[in-house]
Amino acid sequence: MSINTKAISKKIAVSLNNNGINKPITIYRQGVNEFNEPLGEIEVCTVSGYLRECKNKQTNLTINLSDGGKLVNRYKEKLLVSSNINSRKIKENDIFYYENKKYKIIDLG
């Protein structure tokens, strides 16, 4: 028995839209020209989603022999968006503004 993820995703999106939880969020990326000079924030896409606060904050230590130790924080706020053509354009280090506060996307997972 397989789960119909498209149908479930659509039902969740409809429920979030009906309850006024989803908001349009514009994603920006720091642009550079052919000489690697900064151009400022360039609009990447607009997605529908919301910022969710998680209850616990964890810090994981990842050890890789070639890179050394790396601390990875699991941050409290997470931007939740449905997977579609626009949301696939989002990359790490992109930024967005939510309720007049600037956020940086550090993990796509």
Side-chain angles (χ1 to χ4, degrees):
M1 182 171 136
S2 65
I3 298 173
N4 188 348
T5 56
K6 284 186 179 182
I8 292 171
S9 179
K10 189 173 183 176
K11 287 179 182 179
I12 291 171
V14 168
S15 177
L16 292 174
N17 286 332
N18 289 344
N19 292 319
I21 295 173
N22 271 353
K23 295 184 174 106
I25 298 172
T26 304
I27 308 294
Y28 299 95
R29 185 171 296 143
Q30 187 66 34
V32 293
N33 64 14
E34 59 271 8
F35 303 107
N36 277 339
E37 298 170 331
L39 295 174
E41 296 174 357
I42 297 173
E43 184 175 327
V44 176
C45 62
T46 300
V47 294
S48 181
Y50 72 99
L51 196 67
R52 175 179 168 257
E53 282 194 33
C54 297
K55 292 183 179 178
N56 58 356
K57 181 178 179 180
Q58 302 172 343
T59 302
N60 295 337
L61 176 62
T62 303
I63 298 176
N64 189 336
L65 294 177
S66 62
D67 297 333
K70 178 181 174 185
L71 286 176
V72 179
N73 287 321
R74 303 288 180 219
Y75 289 89
K76 288 187 176 186
E77 293 101 4
K78 294 185 183 221
L79 177 64
L80 300 178
V81 297
S82 60
S83 179
N84 57 33
I85 293 171
N86 279 338
S87 66
R88 291 185 188 117
K89 297 176 185 176
I90 300 172
K91 296 182 180 178
E92 288 183 3
N93 297 318
D94 286 351
I95 58 171
F96 65 95
Y97 296 90
Y98 190 84
E99 296 179 354
N100 297 324
K101 188 174 176 185
K102 184 176 181 178
Y103 292 90
K104 182 178 181 181
I105 298 172
I106 56 163
D107 186 9
L108 297 175

